[in-house]
Amino acid sequence: MTELKPNIPPKLTQPKLGFNDYAERLNGRAAMVGFIITLVIEYLTGQGVLTWLGLT
């Protein structure tokens, strides 16, 4: 007897919590935006991150 296989793969929803592709993309994008904002603020103020934190 032959086994029947579906023609269309099931549509599974990705969970919004935990380590998954959605969370990794969102985290990466937030990190890129934060890095760019940090560079812009450093350029405009002429001070580095350590000066903002009061460590130098």
Side-chain angles (χ1 to χ4, degrees):
M1 194 172 205
T2 62
E3 292 184 31
L4 297 176
K5 295 184 179 180
N7 294 336
I8 302 170
K11 294 182 180 179
L12 302 174
T13 59
Q14 289 284 334
K16 299 296 181 190
L17 299 173
F19 295 105
N20 56 42
D21 291 338
Y22 173 77
E24 294 298 320
R25 273 195 310 266
L26 184 62
N27 186 30
R29 290 174 183 165
M32 287 185 278
V33 168
F35 184 72
I36 296 298
I37 289 173
T38 303
L39 288 178
V40 169
I41 292 173
E42 283 188 8
Y43 178 74
L44 293 176
T45 63
Q47 297 177 348
V49 175
L50 295 177
T51 305
W52 303 346
L53 297 174
L55 298 176
T56 58

